[in-house]
């Protein structure tokens, strides 16, 4: 008799079964973001790729589509699979611009979030206008739009797009990490927290981009040659500057010094993507280009020669190439944790 009667009489049930299966299958994949870009238009492709790389470094699934080539059905299916939709500004009055309308038509207020990325092309639709269209439809913004005001585009700007991807990736994976941390043995976590470590400000400069961060997972690693290990979370904004062959400076902070608290407070604040962390911080530039803080009691200039994948972190081994002590009587600041599941 075939399946015709069964399908025609139970169509709604089968559609509901498929919808339920599809939602469960998508949930198993984990956090995902759709990124729409425009081929052969300004810096759209390059900026979208940098943004996507920031997301994937946080173990977020990324689906990318060219607004010049994607069709309405593909847009509908893509938006249905992803909760965060990012897109670069398209040319005005183009097929890519029409496809932005198709994206908007498929967005749901309670399910989706959006982000607009600049294409850095004079003939593009204004970023502010694209953003207002989404907000008028009550679609929430996951991060403020990435709009480039000045030309030419600097290395710092390119890095800011990758950093924006990292910030979103960190944000949407936070719940799963917190859940995993709660499921760990509490006594074991407290025991790990007893591992004390010193406090440092790691600084680096690479391809015109300078950066800095607070670090505590640093330890001596070898004596011949002199070497240290530096552990960095994969979603940290500074990670792209701390890869094999890169140089950095380890600034040691002094215990009990008022300047230490001020420096810590500065570098622990939340920065917008691309913001220069060293702006307003008293420092000089070392031989490797990285900042040496005047508030540091000592510093070491290092170069990463190898890295090991350590789950949600990278462990880098770096040779110490130079350094100095500003205060021979100073005691390095120490960080004590209550638990070992976070810094």
């Amino acid at each position: 008799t075939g399946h015709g009667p069964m399908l025609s009489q139970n169509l709604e049930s089968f559609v509901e079964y498929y919808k339920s299966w599809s939602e469960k299958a998508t949930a198993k994949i984990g956090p995902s973001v759709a990124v729409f870009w425009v081929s052969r238009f300004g810096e759209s492709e390059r900026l979208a790729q940098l943004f996507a790389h920031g997301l994937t470094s946080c173990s977020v699934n990324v689906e990318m589509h060219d607004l010049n080539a994607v069709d309405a059905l593909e847009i509908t299916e893509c938006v249905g699979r992803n909760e965060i939709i990012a897109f670069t500004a398209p040319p005005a009055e183009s097929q890519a611009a029409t496809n932005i309308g198709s994206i908007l038509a498929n967005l749901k207020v309670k399910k989706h979030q959006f982000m607009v990325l600049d294409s850095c092309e004079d003939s593009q639709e204004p970023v502010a206008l694209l953003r207002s269209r989404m907000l008028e439809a009550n679609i929430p913004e996951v991060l403020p739009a990435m709009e480039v005001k000045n030309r030419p585009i600097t290395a710092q700007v390119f890095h800011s797009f990758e950093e924006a991807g990292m910030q979103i990736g960190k944000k949407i994976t936070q719940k799963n990490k917190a859940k995993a941390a709660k499921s760990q043995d509490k006594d074991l976590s407290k025991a790990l927290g007893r591992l004390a470590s010193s406090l440092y400000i790691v600084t680096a400069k690479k391809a015109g981009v300078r950066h800095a961060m607070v670090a505590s997972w640093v330890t001596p690693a070898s004596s011949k040659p002199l070497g240290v290990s530096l552990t960095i979370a994969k979603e940290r904004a500074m990670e792209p500057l701390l890869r094999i062959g890169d140089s950095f400076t380890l600034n040691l902070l002094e215990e009990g010094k008022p300047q230490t608290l001020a420096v810590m407070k500065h570098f622990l604040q939340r920065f917008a993507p691309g913001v220069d962390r060293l702006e307003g911080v008293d420092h000089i530039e070392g031989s490797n280009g990285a900042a040496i803080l005047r508030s540091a009691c000592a510093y070491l200039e290092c170069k990463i020669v190898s890295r090991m994948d350590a789950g949600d972190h990278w462990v880098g081994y770096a040779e110490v190439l130079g350094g100095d002590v500003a205060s021979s009587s100073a005691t390095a600041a120490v960080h004590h944790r209550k638990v070992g599941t976070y810094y």
Side-chain angles (χ1 to χ4, degrees):
T1 59
H3 297 97
M6 181 175 67
L7 291 172
S8 62
Q9 294 173 21
N10 299 279
L11 181 59
E12 290 185 5
S13 297
F14 279 108
V15 169
E16 192 60 35
Y17 288 148
Y18 177 78
K19 181 181 178 182
S20 176
W21 170 84
S22 179
E23 288 176 349
K24 290 178 181 179
T26 303
K28 289 180 180 178
I29 294 174
S32 60
V33 177
V35 180
F36 292 89
W37 56 284
V38 187
S39 58
R40 301 179 300 280
F41 185 67
E43 295 290 348
S44 177
E45 182 175 0
R46 183 177 181 183
L47 295 175
Q49 287 178 343
L50 286 167
F51 179 76
H53 187 268
L55 289 163
T56 57
S57 67
C58 301
S59 300
V60 172
N61 298 299
V62 177
E63 184 175 348
M64 299 188 72
H65 291 279
D66 180 2
L67 285 168
N68 283 330
V70 69
D71 61 37
L73 179 58
E74 289 173 321
I75 289 174
T76 299
E77 292 177 342
C78 173
V79 172
R81 286 189 294 266
N82 298 276
E83 295 184 356
I84 295 178
I85 311 298
F87 57 89
T88 61
E93 299 180 2
S94 64
Q95 181 58 46
T98 300
N99 282 333
I100 295 295
S102 297
I103 292 172
L104 179 56
N106 283 280
L107 296 179
K108 297 179 180 179
V109 175
K110 294 184 178 180
K111 177 181 178 180
H112 293 105
Q113 298 179 80
F114 79 95
M115 185 172 183
V116 183
L117 309 174
D118 206 329
S119 289
C120 299
E121 175 61 51
D122 293 339
S123 60
Q124 71 181 30
E125 287 200 8
V127 170
L129 179 60
L130 293 166
R131 181 173 176 268
S132 66
R133 286 175 62 188
M134 297 291 162
L135 293 175
E136 286 172 5
N138 295 317
I139 307 301
E141 194 172 34
V142 63
L143 272 187
M146 293 294 294
E147 187 171 7
V148 181
K149 300 288 187 180
N150 301 316
R151 302 289 192 276
I153 305 170
T154 64
Q156 192 83 27
V157 170
F158 285 122
H159 177 72
S160 70
F161 277 73
E162 184 172 4
E163 189 176 333
M166 288 180 168
Q167 282 197 13
I168 292 177
K170 187 175 181 179
K171 182 177 181 179
I172 63 179
T173 57
Q174 209 164 23
K175 287 184 179 179
N176 289 338
K177 289 184 177 180
K179 186 178 179 181
K182 286 183 179 179
S183 65
Q184 291 180 347
D185 186 297
K186 291 183 179 180
D187 290 332
L188 175 59
S189 181
K190 289 178 181 178
L192 284 170
R194 298 300 183 269
L195 293 173
S197 56
S198 295
L199 286 171
Y200 313 91
I201 303 297
V202 176
T203 59
K205 186 175 182 180
K206 178 180 178 180
V209 178
R210 64 179 189 175
H211 222 297
M213 70 173 190
V214 176
S216 57
W217 290 7
V218 182
T219 186
S222 64
S223 54
K224 289 186 179 181
L226 290 175
V228 297
S229 66
L230 169 67
T231 304
I232 179 171
K234 291 179 177 178
E235 75 270 11
R236 289 295 289 267
M238 197 173 172
E239 186 277 329
L241 284 77
L242 295 171
R243 295 171 180 168
I244 295 174
D246 293 337
S247 297
F248 67 89
T249 294
L250 195 63
N251 292 272
L252 285 75
L253 301 179
E254 185 175 347
E255 184 70 41
K257 191 176 181 181
Q259 284 180 286
T260 295
L261 294 176
V263 167
M264 287 288 293
K265 184 178 180 180
H266 171 79
F267 287 110
L268 287 174
Q269 66 180 302
R270 291 189 177 184
F271 293 92
V275 171
D276 185 357
R277 271 67 166 173
L278 289 159
E279 186 70 35
V281 177
D282 193 9
H283 70 280
I284 59 173
E285 191 172 289
S287 60
N288 60 4
I292 300 172
L293 307 188
R294 292 190 185 276
S295 59
C297 62
Y299 74 92
L300 297 172
E301 293 183 329
C302 312
K303 183 177 181 178
I304 298 175
V305 295
S306 64
R307 286 209 316 182
M308 180 182 74
D309 191 333
D312 56 358
H313 284 69
W314 292 107
V315 178
Y317 169 71
E319 291 185 3
V320 178
L321 304 179
D324 202 354
V325 175
S327 174
S328 58
S329 61
T331 301
V334 179
H335 182 36
H336 296 280
R337 305 174 185 83
K338 291 183 178 180
V339 294
T341 51
Y342 59 86
Y343 298 116

